[in-house]
Amino acid sequence: MPFGYLAYVSQLPTVWMRDERAMASGLFKGARRYPEREMKEKFCSFLFTSSVAYMLAKAITDCEEQGIPQIALYGIMQGGNLDPANQSQSAEYAYQRPGTQYFIWEATRRGIKVLAAKESRLFELPPEVW
């Protein structure tokens, strides 16, 4: 459990949250209710497939509202094994990756530059399997 990280996050001035119990606990000084309904109305609600997708939706909205020109993604490694013939990789990323890539595409479509490490493999197309 990353207790050091949670201690750090608990002191931030703004922490967007979806968990009612965590918000009610009072442990997070900057807790704000994540505007889930608004985000799902603005974007494709089928593609909120991971916490990264929720963060990107909010980041895109903030970029547009505040004139921020780019989003940088750190520590997101949803590449896994993109070869569907090799089932040794967890199916988690296969489920999450399309949502993340949708929001990257949506940001780019709206004129927001998205940066990520090459190793994240977020900009790779899935293999064609017919």
Side-chain angles (χ1 to χ4, degrees):
M1 180 65 88
F3 292 110
Y5 175 73
L6 289 176
Y8 167 75
V9 170
S10 73
Q11 301 303 309
L12 292 174
T14 303
V15 180
W16 295 103
M17 303 185 92
R18 296 174 57 228
D19 186 308
E20 297 292 331
R21 290 182 301 163
M23 286 187 66
S25 73
L27 296 174
F28 297 90
K29 292 180 181 181
R32 306 280 186 277
R33 183 175 320 285
Y34 181 85
E36 188 167 350
R37 183 178 48 83
E38 294 87 346
M39 294 296 108
K40 287 186 175 178
E41 287 174 358
K42 183 174 185 172
F43 300 102
C44 179
S45 60
F46 294 106
L47 292 168
F48 283 80
T49 57
S50 68
S51 58
V52 175
Y54 281 90
M55 289 185 274
L56 281 168
K58 185 68 173 99
I60 292 166
T61 300
D62 290 351
C63 285
E64 289 182 324
E65 290 174 357
Q66 299 172 33
I68 300 168
Q70 69 184 26
I71 297 168
L73 304 174
Y74 297 96
I76 300 169
M77 304 299 282
Q78 291 184 345
N81 186 347
L82 298 179
D83 180 4
N86 185 339
Q87 298 299 316
S88 64
Q89 177 65 32
S90 167
E92 178 181 2
Y93 294 142
Y95 174 76
Q96 294 177 357
R97 187 178 167 90
T100 301
Q101 289 183 317
Y102 161 75
F103 285 103
I104 289 171
W105 174 82
E106 188 64 38
T108 302
R109 190 182 73 76
R110 293 166 182 252
I112 302 166
K113 184 176 182 177
V114 179
L115 307 171
K118 184 173 87 171
E119 295 79 14
S120 74
R121 300 176 68 185
L122 292 173
F123 299 108
E124 291 181 21
L125 295 173
E128 292 185 18
V129 180
W130 307 107

